Amino acid sequence: MPVTKFNHPDPYKYQTGFDSHHESEAVEGALPIGQNSPQKAPYGLYTEKLSGTAFTAPRHENKQTWVYRILPAAAHENFIAEDADSYHTSMTTETHKLHHIPNQLRWNPFDLDEKVDWVHGLHLIAGSGDPTLKQGLGILMYAAGKDMGKEAFYSADGDFLIVPQHGVLDIQTELGRIILRPNEICVIPRGVRYRVTLPDGPVRGYICELYQGHYQLPELGPIGSNCLANPRDFQAPVAAFDDEEESEYKLYSKFNNTLFAARQNHTPFDVVAWHGNYYPFKYDLGRFNTIGSISFDHPDPSIFTVLTGPSDHVGTAIADFVIFPPRWLVAEGTFRPPWYHRNTMSEFMGLISGDYDAKVGGGFKPAGASLHNVMSAHGPDSGAFEGASNAELKPQKVGDGSMAFMFESALMVGVSEWGLKTCEKVQPEYNEHSWKPLRRHFVNPNKKA
């Protein structure tokens, strides 16, 4: 798949590399030399440390960034719960308020919403765990049509993995700016403050919020040192700051899936320089180096993992982000679409563009979604099965113009009230349309005519 092409160039600069120690200064000499917290930082700046792990986390896991800013992040008024009832209703992951059901679920495309901004356009679809214990994940949809004003937002609950489906996000973070378009993803770590504006109008997409740990690249094992998502293709912002003497800002905090707001009399975007390995980053899905079978059989979808949020059990993820990009199929004597299966993992799928090759009936559309929870049986619909079972097995390119993805989790996820009822997008006859038409093909050789 070619690298994403844009109608106009990205106006911002980036540093490259995944989980690298980056440093950036918007004013030459703003980064201290040889010391993280000198008695007086250059240019009268304040030193602040942003920690994404415990101070005593092992060195290879430790995530922290030193920032040098005009005023500390602590300089704000008290937080007050804002729109608590309506926001908490759409965001809660309290286990007793989620619907845990074994049915296969599929959603029609979610609506655009031009009346709200980024903060108020977030809706939880499904989730598991508890952000207060830093356990589990939340799966969200976003839809917005308004710019944030003199405001900033952060989540204390977890890392946001943002997957745009429609429209462009201009994300101003404390550590620099990022332009994000469909076919790209962005991760904004827990606690990083940012503001979203919409240069090309309304936006819509998906989010997987990781309450537990941080996203990382999957291990490659026998694949070797390259393929899948390569570290050099990840991009982090460079320092860029606003210098405003007096400016009223509103700061939003997502704290245990409840929205709080505080006032402050200065911009949150005043970081003049920073260095560390805890920062937002983006990745172009068109750079994913796909691998697959060149002999026979259909490999596990784990070969399409871009990022993983591991659990404490090796090889088992709280959240895997998996994509299904355009690719060649060449396996001989093989049923090439995904096989029918029941999985100990939960599988939430979304579609950015095009058609997904395992669902040809037309019910799985861009901006829609599906959920096959723990041990819920699923697989190709009847049309895909009949077609693949009788196709001529020559080299075949699938997925041209398409990009499907999956948030996969070891956890049983519950569906929110918004996702199951309020949004009014659940397809009531998903199971019936997909698998009820499957026909019996078995011919019993031991059965007498």
Side-chain angles (χ1 to χ4, degrees):
M1 182 176 184
V3 175
T4 305
K5 302 297 183 184
F6 301 136
N7 293 328
H8 49 86
D10 192 326
Y12 304 129
K13 296 180 180 179
Y14 302 95
Q15 307 171 80
T16 59
F18 185 87
D19 202 23
S20 306
H21 184 103
H22 286 310
E23 60 180 46
S24 180
E25 55 185 12
V27 175
E28 187 176 356
L31 278 174
I33 297 174
Q35 191 174 354
N36 292 325
S37 54
Q39 184 180 18
K40 290 187 177 182
Y43 299 109
L45 297 171
Y46 286 87
T47 301
E48 183 175 284
K49 186 179 182 182
L50 182 61
S51 296
T53 54
F55 297 144
T56 52
R59 184 182 290 266
H60 71 280
E61 295 178 359
N62 207 296
K63 290 192 174 290
Q64 59 177 355
T65 288
W66 291 91
V67 301
Y68 304 91
R69 63 192 317 153
I70 297 171
L71 285 171
H76 58 73
E77 298 176 3
N78 284 339
F79 281 101
I80 300 173
E82 173 141 324
D83 300 330
D85 291 338
S86 61
Y87 190 83
H88 196 66
T89 298
S90 67
M91 293 301 300
T92 183
T93 50
E94 296 175 32
T95 302
H96 67 281
K97 293 184 179 179
L98 296 175
H99 302 271
H100 292 85
I101 51 181
N103 293 331
Q104 306 97 329
L105 295 174
R106 189 162 69 185
W107 288 265
N108 287 320
F110 293 93
D111 294 331
L112 293 167
D113 189 346
E114 300 188 22
K115 302 185 299 295
V116 298
D117 62 13
W118 172 264
V119 177
H120 298 91
L122 299 172
H123 295 281
L124 184 83
I125 302 174
S128 181
D130 186 343
T132 69
L133 300 176
K134 295 184 178 176
Q135 295 176 348
L137 78 165
I139 297 171
L140 301 85
M141 284 295 302
Y142 70 83
K146 295 170 60 178
D147 291 344
M148 292 176 65
K150 286 201 167 185
E151 300 165 323
F153 171 83
Y154 74 92
S155 176
D157 295 341
D159 289 8
F160 266 34
L161 167 57
I162 303 170
V163 184
Q165 186 276 323
H166 177 86
V168 179
L169 303 174
D170 190 336
I171 306 174
Q172 181 182 17
T173 81
E174 296 178 89
L175 304 182
R177 304 187 73 132
I178 291 174
I179 282 282
L180 190 66
R181 299 174 172 87
N183 215 47
E184 295 180 318
I185 61 168
C186 175
V187 172
I188 300 184
R190 181 198 310 268
V192 171
R193 299 174 180 182
Y194 63 99
R195 171 178 177 264
V196 176
T197 55
L198 314 177
D200 286 346
V203 297
R204 176 177 55 197
Y206 311 81
I207 296 169
C208 188
E209 185 174 18
L210 184 64
Y211 304 150
Q212 185 167 340
H214 301 286
Y215 287 104
Q216 62 188 53
L217 292 176
E219 300 296 338
L220 294 180
I223 295 173
S225 56
N226 298 294
C227 286
L228 309 188
N230 288 312
R232 68 183 294 252
D233 293 322
F234 287 81
Q235 297 178 303
V238 298
F241 68 98
D242 293 339
D243 185 5
E244 303 174 1
E245 293 286 343
E246 290 285 338
S247 188
E248 185 78 11
Y249 267 81
K250 191 173 187 178
L251 176 62
Y252 289 105
S253 173
K254 179 177 174 289
F255 202 89
N256 191 23
N257 280 320
T258 301
L259 188 65
F260 291 83
R263 299 282 180 179
Q264 62 182 59
N265 63 359
H266 59 97
T267 175
F269 308 110
D270 63 352
V271 174
V272 180
W274 62 270
H275 72 89
N277 66 350
Y278 192 64
Y279 45 75
F281 59 85
K282 77 169 188 173
Y283 174 73
D284 182 347
L285 299 180
R287 295 180 182 270
F288 188 81
N289 191 348
T290 310
I291 64 171
S293 172
I294 54 173
S295 56
F296 60 87
D297 280 351
H298 182 99
D300 293 331
S302 49
I303 61 172
F304 301 118
T305 302
V306 181
L307 293 171
T308 184
S311 70
D312 296 333
H313 187 75
V314 175
T316 303
I318 300 301
D320 278 334
F321 174 61
V322 180
I323 65 172
F324 302 97
R327 60 204 182 276
W328 282 94
L329 302 181
V330 299
E332 297 179 314
T334 295
F335 181 76
R336 289 178 174 176
W339 8 255
Y340 294 97
H341 63 293
R342 291 170 292 162
N343 193 352
T344 187
M345 310 282 277
S346 299
E347 301 179 11
F348 177 92
M349 284 197 66
L351 187 60
I352 298 170
S353 60
D355 296 305
Y356 178 51
D357 52 290
K359 292 287 187 292
V360 299
F364 186 45
K365 298 179 180 179
S370 67
L371 173 63
H372 303 131
N373 224 321
V374 172
M375 289 302 173
S376 295
H378 57 286
D381 59 28
S382 58
F385 174 80
E386 295 295 340
S389 298
N390 298 289
E392 181 184 355
L393 292 183
K394 57 184 179 180
Q396 178 190 10
K397 184 77 175 287
V398 297
D400 262 341
S402 174
M403 181 65 76
F405 72 87
M406 181 164 63
F407 298 145
E408 187 175 63
S409 176
L411 305 177
M412 180 182 292
V413 300
V415 184
S416 71
E417 185 74 9
W418 185 89
L420 192 63
K421 299 176 184 178
T422 310
C423 71
E424 299 181 340
K425 296 298 179 183
V426 172
Q427 298 177 7
E429 298 177 341
Y430 171 41
N431 184 306
E432 182 175 346
H433 286 167
S434 294
W435 299 293
K436 188 174 181 180
L438 289 168
R439 297 184 295 112
R440 177 186 173 103
H441 294 280
F442 178 60
V443 178
N444 188 343
N446 299 320
K447 187 176 182 179
K448 296 181 180 179

